[in-house]
Structures are given as structure tokens and as C-alpha cells.
Amino acid sequence: MADLTQEDWVNQLKNDDNAIILDVRTEDEVAEGKIPNALHIDIYKGQGFIYEVEELDKSKNMYVYCKAGGRSAQACAIMNQLGFENTYNLLGGFSEWTGEVE
């Protein structure tokens, strides 16, 4: 797992054609806006989160974010245990995001 600043996250993502963006916030948080093209799997689903993440392609580079960076760091750690090799945590999370929002 790598912690990336927003700038590094955006720059790396821009040049990555093997990327998935994953939003691990709650439904209510996502309703306030999300990063474009992000998949949403709520980490608070517990085992449900693990089941859904297991369905994803482990060869992809996973760019993970939450509201502030704590849950996404946790999600990256879980995903690494599940066999995902490249997970990138967005430091500061969506609350500090200045990029596009949908």
C-alpha cells in the first residue's frame, strides 16, 4: 500500500490505464458527491465489503479513498491481504479533494 498526496494520486492515475478508483464511504457520503468513475463499496459493510472486493480484478491498480484517509488506509490493508498488489490511499480523502466531482 502506498499513501499518496492528492497531487501524486491524480498524476499517477492520469497515466495509469490499469486503474480502478474505489470509494469506500457510506451511501450518504457518496450522495454528497464522488470522484468521477469511482466504484462504491462501503467498508462499513464488513464481510460484505470483503465479498464485493473479492469480485474485483486483483491485477488492477486500486486507487482508494474515503472522507479523510482513515477508512481507505484500512481498505487498502484488507485488499493487500486479499491479494491485491497495488493499492494507493488518497491522503486527506474526499474532504480535501479539489479535482472533478460528480
Side-chain angles (χ1 to χ4, degrees), residues 50-61:
I50 291 169
Y51 290 141
E52 288 188 51
V53 165
E54 279 280 18
E55 301 289 305
L56 302 174
D57 183 344
K58 292 188 172 74
S59 71
K60 297 284 187 191
N61 300 321

Side-chain angles (χ1 to χ4, degrees), residues 66-84:
C66 62
K67 188 171 184 176
R71 281 173 285 171
S72 50
Q74 197 184 342
C76 287
I78 292 168
M79 291 164 76
N80 291 148
Q81 289 172 347
L82 295 173
F84 289 85

Side-chain angles (χ1 to χ4, degrees), residues 38-98:
L39 279 176
H40 173 237
I41 306 176
D42 183 353
I43 193 168
Y44 287 147
K45 282 184 180 168
Q47 193 62 43
F49 173 79
I50 291 169
Y51 290 141
E52 288 188 51
V53 165
E54 279 280 18
E55 301 289 305
L56 302 174
D57 183 344
K58 292 188 172 74
S59 71
K60 297 284 187 191
N61 300 321
M62 306 299 293
Y63 292 79
V64 188
Y65 73 96
C66 62
K67 188 171 184 176
R71 281 173 285 171
S72 50
Q74 197 184 342
C76 287
I78 292 168
M79 291 164 76
N80 291 148
Q81 289 172 347
L82 295 173
F84 289 85
E85 284 176 31
N86 299 313
T87 57
Y88 303 103
N89 178 38
L90 177 62
L91 291 171
F94 190 74
S95 59
E96 292 181 20
W97 179 253
T98 57

